[in-house]
Amino acid sequence: MASSAPTVMKAVVFSSSNVVNTVTDIPRPAVRPNSRDMLVRVCFAGLCGSDIHPYTGREPGLKPRTVMGHEVVGVVVECGEQLEGVRGQWLHRVVVAPFTICCGMCWACQRGNTARCAHSTLLGWKKERGEGEAAAERLELDGAQGEYIVVPYGDSTLMRVPSPGLLPKSYPAPAQLGQPSSSFEPLRDWINYLFCGDILATAWHACEQAGLREPNTYATPAASSTSNSFTSNKSDLVFPETLLPVPEPTIAVVGCGPVGLLALLCALQITHDRGIASPLIVAFEPNQYRRKFAQEVLGLEGKVHFLDPADLQSDALNNTPVHTAMSPPDPSIAPAFSSVIECVGATPAIRLAYDLVRPGGVISCIGVNTDPHLPLSQDDIYNKNLTYRVGRCDARRIGSMLIDRLAAARQSEAQEQPVEQARYISSAWKIATHVESLDDAQRHYTRFAARDEGYLKVIFHTDAADDVNPVLR
């Protein structure tokens, strides 16, 4: 495939604020001499919310003619010279790229912190530089929304996946408003694996950051007949030397965009893994379409409570389980929420997260916020003994785990066995509302940026079937 690859290709490129163009004359990326690069024939590339930041100018500085996008699944068609010894393990394999590259050898990579690799750089980001401005210290890379992409450190960055099946020659129409497109189901493995490189991994990371994988801790007084009371000899209460585990976290998710919806699936999966039968999970989302989509398309009605944040200022919550959890009648009961996952990346959402979290709780922020100032003061954080966690997802580490879970679940399903290891996350593909050609990218960027109803997750396909299907294994 590589030897017959064209020298130019079709791709979606950045032009200027609020303008992308689909061009057919962008040079096809090339593997560098004596490198660990891999050339990948792109099959699917996602349109991510963080693509909208440079598109709208909220995150300025992207160089014109940069190929957009950082979510990709495709097939390896060429390996760099340094990978000659492992070429047979990679050539013609279906792979997913995490949205940042990682060398696999530095201090951060060796500890699983692949997002902070010493050589880390984002797919689809090339900075525009003025005359005399210093060159970049790290690689700057074109993105995924084209027919080919080169991935440096391919053997440590890319993640191999089981074959998701043959590519179709034609693609289904967009989902009807508020309904899943059942015709996307044949693509479900392609889509699920695609999401492991960014948004599903990021959603899992949000839950990890929120402390959901381990029991939360909360100081609980214990009766004692000893004299070392923490208050006075009138009390027989002492606090343990270490905080006692609270077995069931109470979870709020702020924002039901693509990552927020997947965070709900991941929170359900993690609490299921821990044997928590009926966790309290509440999603706060002002958009009625997104709330309805989660309830009906993802099947979360009855598993997650959905609220418009405006309901917090009304009587709508009175006498509901959510109201009881947030305002327990007994002061010995910890109020919700022990963990708040903020998936928007905007000041009002962070303030809402702060209002929701209980003293001693955790806020996990994974929305990309480009505001220069944190909307919480040190005093705010101090006054709630708050843990505020923020940072880029280690997509290579987490994505590999998710791929293993999804692959094992598929195998269990084929053997008519329970698929507990991916009971919830295997539904991630259902958030896809559009699988579209690269040709009309400007329209999809415009509508996605405007948050038009029905535009929840857009995936671009390339016309790769004739190239890829003969070599899939």
Side-chain angles (χ1 to χ4, degrees), residues 120-166:
S120 177
T121 192
L122 180 68
L123 301 180
W125 182 261
K126 297 166 78 173
K127 180 177 171 58
E128 185 173 25
R129 287 179 164 74
E131 186 176 349
E133 189 174 352
E137 295 181 0
R138 298 186 182 185
L139 288 172
E140 293 189 327
L141 304 172
D142 278 309
Q145 292 169 14
E147 293 175 320
Y148 292 87
I149 184 172
V150 161
V151 180
Y153 308 109
D155 57 328
S156 57
T157 296
L158 293 172
M159 302 176 285
R160 287 169 286 198
V161 303
S163 177
L166 297 179

Side-chain angles (χ1 to χ4, degrees), residues 9-22:
M9 67 174 188
K10 181 187 294 186
V12 178
V13 299
F14 177 74
S15 180
S16 60
S17 181
N18 293 304
V19 179
V20 293
N21 292 314
T22 302

Side-chain angles (χ1 to χ4, degrees), residues 20 30-31 35 38 42 63 121 133 143 154 166 246 251 258 343 376 413 434 437 439 455 462:
V20 293
V31 167
S35 73
M38 289 189 188
V42 175
K63 182 179 180 180
T121 192
E133 189 174 352
L166 297 179
V246 174
I251 304 158
C343 302
L376 304 178
E413 186 179 279
H434 294 71
S437 165
D439 293 332
Y455 268 76
T462 65

Side-chain angles (χ1 to χ4, degrees), residues 137-387:
E137 295 181 0
R138 298 186 182 185
L139 288 172
E140 293 189 327
L141 304 172
D142 278 309
Q145 292 169 14
E147 293 175 320
Y148 292 87
I149 184 172
V150 161
V151 180
Y153 308 109
D155 57 328
S156 57
T157 296
L158 293 172
M159 302 176 285
R160 287 169 286 198
V161 303
S163 177
L166 297 179
L167 291 172
K169 293 292 186 72
S170 60
Y171 287 86
Q176 295 298 311
L177 188 63
Q179 299 296 322
S181 176
S182 58
S183 52
F184 289 169
E185 188 160 6
L187 302 175
R188 77 179 211 183
D189 290 336
W190 286 100
I191 296 172
N192 276 341
Y193 290 140
L194 170 69
F195 290 170
C196 289
D198 186 357
I199 58 173
L200 185 57
T202 295
W204 191 277
H205 164 69
C207 294
E208 279 192 349
Q209 258 190 177
L212 302 192
R213 296 197 69 191
E214 297 179 2
N216 292 318
T217 55
Y218 202 81
T220 306
S224 173
S225 59
T226 63
S227 61
N228 59 342
S229 168
F230 84 104
T231 53
S232 72
N233 56 14
K234 293 181 180 179
S235 171
D236 62 354
L237 292 179
V238 295
F239 280 89
E241 292 183 6
T242 59
L243 299 180
L244 299 179
V246 174
E248 296 197 9
T250 53
I251 304 158
V253 174
V254 177
C256 288
V259 174
L261 291 175
L262 296 184
L264 295 173
L265 295 180
C266 290
L268 286 164
Q269 184 68 54
I270 290 169
T271 51
H272 174 74
D273 292 347
R274 288 178 52 189
I276 301 172
S278 300
L280 177 66
I281 304 175
V282 183
F284 292 86
E285 169 57 57
N287 185 294
Q288 183 179 6
Y289 162 71
R290 291 184 173 187
R291 297 196 304 269
K292 183 178 179 182
F293 186 97
Q295 291 170 309
E296 298 181 0
V297 177
L298 293 184
L300 298 185
E301 188 168 10
K303 300 181 178 71
V304 175
H305 300 272
F306 290 89
L307 295 176
D308 184 331
D311 291 340
L312 293 171
Q313 310 301 324
S314 71
D315 296 331
L317 295 186
N318 288 354
N319 301 317
T320 67
V322 175
H323 181 266
T324 302
M326 294 177 67
S327 303
D330 185 338
S332 69
I333 301 173
F337 292 94
S338 61
S339 300
V340 181
I341 299 169
E342 187 278 306
C343 302
V344 180
T347 292
I350 296 173
R351 288 301 313 183
L352 175 59
Y354 180 80
D355 292 340
L356 293 172
V357 72
R358 73 184 181 199
V362 181
I363 294 178
S364 171
C365 283
I366 46 86
V368 179
N369 193 332
T370 55
D371 292 341
H373 301 293
L374 185 69
L376 304 178
S377 69
Q378 293 188 57
D379 202 37
D380 289 331
I381 296 170
Y382 178 89
N383 285 338
K384 274 197 170 181
N385 284 46
L386 176 65
T387 300

Side-chain angles (χ1 to χ4, degrees), residues 8 11 28 54 68 84 87 143 181 253 259 379 393:
V8 294
R28 176 182 67 81
M68 298 290 287
E84 186 61 32
R87 182 175 179 272
S181 176
V253 174
V259 174
D379 202 37
C393 167

